[in-house]
Amino acid sequence: MREDTGAIRIFTPEMLETMAHIWTRSSISLMDVRHKPIYPNQPLQHYKLPSSMLVYAYGGTANVQLNEAAFAMERFGLFHGGKGTVLSILPDDVTLESYMVLYKAETPLFFKRDLQRLLEQVNPFLQQFGYVPRNPVGLLSLFQQMMDSWNRRTEMNHFHTKSLFYQSVHEIYRDLENGKTKFLQPDPVISAKRYLDEHYIKPIMFQEIADMFAISNGQLTRLFKKREGSSLQEYVIQKRLNTARHHLENTNATVKEIAEGCGFINEKNLFRMFKKYYKMTPSDYRKINALSMQVYGIDNDSHRPYNKRELDRLVKSTGDGELHMLGNTRSKEMILAAAMSLMLLLSACSSSAPANTGSPDLTPAQTQVQTTSTTETKETENAAQTRIIHTIKGDVEVPINPQRVVVNWYYPELFSLGIQPVALMGFVTGENVHFFDQAAGIPTMNYDNWDVETIMSYDPDLIISIAEDEFTANNYEKLSKVAPVIAISSGLAPAERLNFIGEVFGKQQEAQNLVDEFNAKLASLKQQLKEHALDSKTVSVFQDWAEWGFNAETAKRGASLLYTYLELTMPEEFERLVGEGGAAISYEAVPKYTGDYVVYVNHDSDFANSEIWKSIDAVKNNQVLYMEEKDQDVMLFDDVESMSAQIDYFTTHLFHLE
């Protein structure tokens, strides 16, 4: 690995001791061990690490990037990055081999306060570095053993893999401790400057920059000030001010627009910084610079072509929207003299203003750092409190107040209880779904991208899934290493399911209230059906998929509510068809399967206008509910709140009850 002149070593003996202390007392879960060839024509580019990761690459030369830091690798390279780090490996001319070990460090429990304090100083699970191992063959053998043991997929072998992982980390730290180790740690000052140059317009949290190099915010600030002569905060302010000056000089944007576009929290903050550094307001700065850089244009008046100095009777724009007719006796020297006088006058007024003896105003970055720190402390304390939930897979310890929930299909129940997941599996179709607004903007996964790594990337503190789901059954152990998994049996009735999820989130009363409301509404409709002698009527639910077939529906599209909860009956032939495991019906046979009432879904085919359809009694008696497309989605689910909406819909549209 070629040395970078900008690289410095920051792994002091004291820091390594602290990092070893943290490793010894932290709970580590292995997520995956992989072997991956990387080809010159198919490099690994912009891969966002879903968890902390060790990468051992070997076999050739390559450029390796971890976020903003670039490393040049020759033959062997060991790299580490934390969750969210962007990794790129670009081989020069030959295929590289690589081992990747993904792991997760659990958040310390509340009683490990000393560990939390150490993690604020240096976090070995987030730091990024690259170096050449002193014993590359020996370390390579460790990674090969980890891969072999992991692939055997038994608990004893995974236990062995974890012991090998700790051994490899120990070897790495021994290398970093050795004074002769050839390693690269990106220069925090150079990389911090590059980061600030690219992100100064956005709110900046300096602790995140420090975390990239496993040093404290204070240490990064001291290094930066020693090398650059200014603090990180002053550097950001100057970057923003320089950009603001450029816009004041070259655009007609308002001061408010410039403030928002340059990273200042508001217009007032920009005014304050201008007064502090330039002793004038942004508006004054714009006027002064407009005087010294006038834009000339010829007016529409008739005039002589030239006088002794310039175009006569020239229209001169000051750049702030005002036009002045300047006589030919006003020279540039006079204009600049006036500008200097105005600047001195403004400076004198500013210096005579009383000093602000109150607390200094926080910049956007300082405000965000303070807010984030407070929020993170509260979230850590909340996550430390847990409860035990009895599931079909055994007892599971879950956070009392989970903040980041990934859910498979049962998201209607979560929305009903006011819980907003960070990602969901399934689909949200039309705007008529009762939870459509809550689901808007939430990442939705389907069976093509529903995998452990994708789930891990959302950093969940709780996962909810269907116990019988094939993916959940095959990956339950892996998922459990990402976050606690609540597996819910699909055999639970909707009310039982809602109450169970209410228990998981400590919302038992809210869940029971929804169940009680549904039961009351259901009882009311059943009573109305009885009073109108409709409780003995038969109902058929059909889906017309045209060239894909005409099907009898017994579960979806409201059929669950009609047959199971309202206890309405199917026509005899319809029930027999279903009992024999069939569902598809030819158009000619449809009349013998229709009941007194018919729910007709997807009625856009020609069959709805055929003589066969028109001959059916339910059609003649106007007892067919032609379900419009906009109404179909509310019928798709059988959760308590969806079925409550279905009751309202069927009451009005199918049974025509007041």
Side-chain angles (χ1 to χ4, degrees):
M1 191 174 292
R2 301 183 289 274
E3 295 287 349
D4 186 341
T5 56
I8 62 173
R9 178 173 179 172
I10 61 172
F11 289 105
T12 64
E14 295 78 15
M15 185 180 296
L16 286 166
E17 277 295 305
T18 301
M19 290 155 60
H21 179 91
I22 293 171
W23 272 97
T24 304
R25 288 158 178 77
S26 296
S27 175
I28 305 297
S29 298
L30 286 185
M31 313 308 300
D32 200 9
V33 181
R34 305 170 181 173
H35 178 263
K36 179 179 179 63
I38 304 174
Y39 306 99
N41 61 341
Q42 293 180 330
L44 179 68
Q45 296 194 77
H46 309 301
Y47 173 58
K48 189 173 183 180
L49 305 189
S51 67
S52 299
M53 183 185 289
L54 278 175
V55 180
Y56 189 89
Y58 61 97
T61 60
N63 289 315
V64 180
Q65 248 185 301
L66 294 171
N67 284 342
E68 308 296 330
F71 305 90
M73 190 196 95
E74 295 178 352
R75 297 197 305 144
F76 299 97
L78 190 289
F79 304 93
H80 181 274
K83 174 180 166 56
T85 300
V86 178
L87 170 68
S88 296
I89 302 179
L90 296 88
D92 288 339
D93 51 11
V94 297
T95 300
L96 287 184
E97 301 294 330
S98 68
Y99 286 102
M100 300 178 178
V101 181
L102 289 78
Y103 72 93
K104 179 181 179 183
E106 303 295 341
T107 303
L109 297 176
F110 66 93
F111 53 80
K112 293 187 178 180
R113 303 262 181 206
D114 61 325
L115 197 56
Q116 291 179 5
R117 286 192 292 270
L118 290 176
L119 284 169
E120 291 172 0
Q121 299 173 24
V122 53
N123 192 327
F125 313 123
L126 295 178
Q127 65 188 175
Q128 58 188 56
F129 60 83
Y131 83 102
V132 178
R134 284 187 304 150
N135 183 5
V137 176
L139 193 60
L140 176 59
S141 177
L142 276 176
F143 277 88
Q144 289 172 335
Q145 291 178 61
M146 272 193 278
M147 185 79 247
D148 293 341
S149 184
W150 183 261
N151 284 338
R152 289 191 177 96
R153 300 187 180 279
T154 67
E155 289 304 320
M156 285 297 290
N157 279 294
H158 283 186
F159 182 38
H160 182 223
T161 307
K162 191 169 185 179
S163 69
L164 292 169
F165 172 69
Y166 276 111
Q167 188 178 342
S168 68
V169 173
H170 178 261
E171 291 296 321
I172 292 166
Y173 276 38
R174 282 296 188 195
D175 283 352
L176 298 180
E177 187 180 42
N178 186 282
K180 297 180 181 179
T181 299
K182 189 178 180 182
F183 74 100
L184 289 178
Q185 178 66 24
D187 187 339
V189 176
I190 293 175
S191 295
K193 279 185 64 178
R194 185 184 304 163
Y195 181 89
L196 296 176
D197 288 343
E198 294 179 1
H199 299 89
Y200 68 92
I201 292 176
K202 302 176 182 178
I204 293 174
M205 291 176 283
F206 298 126
Q207 185 59 55
E208 287 188 358
I209 303 176
D211 286 342
M212 297 177 188
F213 311 103
I215 59 178
S216 66
N217 188 17
Q219 189 176 357
L220 175 62
T221 300
R222 287 191 294 273
L223 284 170
F224 195 92
K225 192 162 188 176
K226 183 178 179 180
R227 296 266 296 277
E228 297 297 319
S230 64
S231 68
L232 290 158
Q233 186 61 53
E234 290 169 341
Y235 185 85
V236 172
I237 292 173
Q238 283 295 343
K239 256 330 254 192
R240 291 169 174 168
L241 284 173
N242 289 339
T243 307
R245 286 167 52 197
H246 172 80
H247 289 306
L248 288 167
E249 294 170 6
N250 298 285
T251 74
N252 289 325
T254 66
V255 174
K256 182 180 180 181
E257 291 168 342
I258 292 173
E260 293 174 351
C262 295
F264 292 97
I265 193 168
N266 52 32
E267 184 178 5
K268 183 179 179 182
N269 186 238
L270 174 59
F271 268 81
R272 189 178 296 114
M273 292 298 106
F274 248 83
K275 293 282 285 184
K276 178 179 179 180
Y277 286 90
Y278 304 129
K279 310 302 180 186
M280 66 179 74
T281 68
S283 300
D284 292 332
Y285 179 88
R286 171 175 267 170
K287 290 179 180 178
I288 291 171
N289 281 275
L291 287 172
S292 60
M293 294 180 289
Q294 294 172 358
V295 179
Y296 293 89
I298 301 175
D299 67 355
N300 293 324
D301 294 339
S302 173
H303 51 71
R304 292 181 298 278
Y306 295 96
N307 59 24
K308 293 181 180 180
R309 301 178 63 94
E310 57 186 343
L311 285 173
D312 194 29
R313 299 177 68 182
L314 202 64
V315 176
K316 300 185 178 181
S317 170
T318 65
D320 60 357
E322 296 181 8
L323 297 176
H324 295 279
M325 300 299 295
L326 301 178
N328 57 18
T329 59
R330 295 189 178 184
S331 67
K332 292 182 180 179
E333 291 82 359
M334 291 177 63
I335 295 171
L336 290 174
M340 291 300 297
S341 299
L342 177 58
M343 186 181 297
L344 290 172
L345 177 61
L346 291 170
S347 178
C349 293
S350 175
S351 61
S352 63
N356 181 5
T357 58
S359 301
D361 292 299
L362 292 177
T363 65
Q366 290 170 322
T367 303
Q368 183 142 351
V369 169
Q370 287 192 358
T371 304
T372 303
S373 177
T374 303
T375 303
E376 288 176 348
T377 301
K378 290 180 179 178
E379 289 182 355
T380 301
E381 292 174 354
N382 287 336
Q385 304 175 42
T386 60
R387 65 159 63 90
I388 300 297
I389 299 296
H390 305 293
T391 77
I392 195 172
K393 294 284 189 178
D395 290 351
V396 178
E397 186 177 9
V398 303
I400 282 182
N401 185 25
Q403 300 295 311
R404 301 184 60 80
V405 183
V406 173
V407 59
N408 177 7
W409 193 252
Y410 291 140
Y411 43 87
E413 282 80 3
L414 269 67
F415 289 132
S416 296
L417 295 173
I419 299 159
Q420 198 81 350
V422 296
L424 53 87
M425 165 64 182
F427 56 92
V428 179
T429 48
E431 295 185 6
N432 206 42
V433 179
H434 72 270
F435 48 80
F436 182 83
D437 290 339
Q438 297 107 302
I442 297 178
T444 302
M445 295 175 280
N446 55 40
Y447 285 103
D448 294 329
N449 61 6
W450 177 244
D451 56 64
V452 175
E453 188 168 308
T454 302
I455 294 170
M456 191 191 310
S457 69
Y458 291 106
D459 194 21
D461 53 10
L462 186 66
I463 299 169
I464 294 178
S465 189
I466 305 171
E468 295 82 3
D469 179 78
E470 182 179 356
F471 173 79
T472 304
N474 293 338
N475 295 277
Y476 182 81
E477 295 301 325
K478 286 185 178 180
L479 290 172
S480 297
K481 293 175 181 178
V482 176
V485 180
I486 299 297
I488 302 175
S489 172
S490 59
L492 284 182
E496 294 174 319
R497 188 167 66 236
L498 180 60
N499 279 323
F500 178 73
I501 293 176
E503 179 189 352
V504 172
F505 290 93
K507 293 178 175 286
Q508 295 95 322
Q509 191 57 55
E510 292 95 323
Q512 189 57 51
N513 289 343
L514 289 171
V515 171
D516 291 343
E517 290 173 11
F518 168 73
N519 286 335
K521 189 179 287 188
L522 179 67
S524 175
L525 178 55
K526 291 177 75 172
Q527 181 61 32
Q528 291 184 72
L529 293 176
K530 185 175 182 180
E531 291 174 355
H532 289 79
L534 299 175
D535 56 330
S536 60
K537 301 296 184 181
T538 58
V539 179
S540 302
V541 181
F542 294 123
Q543 293 192 71
D544 186 355
W545 297 110
E547 64 268 26
W548 291 292
F550 198 90
N551 295 318
E553 182 59 77
T554 62
K556 298 177 183 177
R557 308 300 181 190
S560 179
L561 176 74
L562 292 170
Y563 299 135
T564 304
Y565 290 90
L566 289 174
E567 300 176 349
L568 297 173
T569 57
M570 304 177 191
E572 184 176 342
E573 289 296 318
F574 190 102
E575 188 173 9
R576 184 183 61 78
L577 174 71
V578 173
E580 293 174 352
I585 306 170
S586 66
Y587 284 129
E588 293 77 9
V590 166
K592 74 174 182 177
Y593 296 109
T594 55
D596 300 313
Y597 285 82
V598 174
V599 177
Y600 191 175
V601 184
N602 299 335
H603 50 87
D604 294 330
S605 72
D606 293 337
F607 181 64
N609 297 315
S610 68
E611 293 302 320
I612 296 175
W613 180 253
K614 292 177 181 178
S615 68
I616 296 172
D617 289 340
V619 178
K620 295 177 181 177
N621 296 331
N622 194 28
Q623 292 177 175
V624 177
L625 171 56
Y626 296 94
M627 193 178 292
E628 299 294 333
E629 183 177 356
K630 66 182 181 64
D631 298 320
Q632 292 177 22
D633 295 317
V634 79
M635 301 294 162
L636 184 60
F637 300 91
D638 69 346
D639 63 284
V640 167
E641 192 168 342
S642 289
M643 289 200 298
S644 181
Q646 292 169 27
I647 288 176
D648 296 336
Y649 182 78
F650 283 136
T651 299
T652 305
H653 295 88
L654 180 59
F655 302 112
H656 308 291
L657 299 172
E658 294 297 332

